[in-house]
Amino acid sequence: EVQLQASGGGLVQPGGSLRLSCAASGFAFNNYDMSWIRQGAGEGVEWLAAINSGGVSTYYADSVKGRFTISRDNAKNTLYLQMNSLKPEDTAVYYCAAVPARTRVPTVAQEYDYWGQGTQVTVSS
């Protein structure tokens, strides 16, 4: 059974930083492309960042480019999202998501087959 458990969310002041983690189990993590996706209250889902199965290639939405960094440790079956310069509009539930590796890494949330439980990030003073 595929399991993805995101953690590391919390309350942070504007301009602050957080590091999210996503522990993966039940599948061959190093054969899957991974993404972070978020959903604000009353809003649709927003794809944020993706990384290919080998961890070599990364992709970012314009809204987070230069502030967020996606990475993975295949030896630990863990995905990360380093978030810097956080803004109130970054407040959302953050999800990690997985899809079997493809020639072209998906950059659309709906193309991901498996989603984790999510972790709440609140940016407020």
Side-chain angles (χ1 to χ4, degrees):
E1 179 187 2
V2 171
Q3 292 194 359
L4 297 167
Q5 182 62 55
S7 62
L11 174 64
V12 63
Q13 292 188 340
S17 298
L18 279 177
R19 188 194 196 200
L20 305 184
S21 298
C22 173
S25 62
F27 65 104
F29 182 70
N30 60 349
N31 289 339
Y32 280 66
D33 297 331
M34 301 293 297
S35 268
W36 286 99
I37 297 160
R38 70 185 178 190
Q39 185 169 24
E43 300 179 7
V45 296
E46 178 185 13
W47 170 82
L48 300 177
I51 188 166
N52 74 329
S53 58
V56 174
S57 300
T58 57
Y59 310 84
Y60 296 94
D62 288 344
S63 59
V64 303
K65 195 175 296 181
R67 299 189 299 125
F68 292 9
T69 302
I70 189 171
S71 62
R72 65 192 295 164
D73 185 337
N74 284 349
K76 295 182 178 180
N77 287 356
T78 304
L79 178 74
Y80 303 100
L81 185 69
Q82 177 66 42
M83 305 187 295
N84 299 329
S85 303
L86 283 161
K87 307 174 182 180
E89 52 263 44
D90 293 318
T91 296
V93 178
Y94 284 68
Y95 302 91
C96 52
V99 67
R102 301 181 181 180
T103 303
R104 193 169 182 180
V105 178
T107 57
V108 176
Q110 290 78 4
E111 293 192 41
Y112 283 80
D113 296 334
Y114 304 103
W115 293 47
Q117 288 289 340
T119 185
Q120 175 71 44
V121 172
T122 302
V123 184
S124 175
S125 55

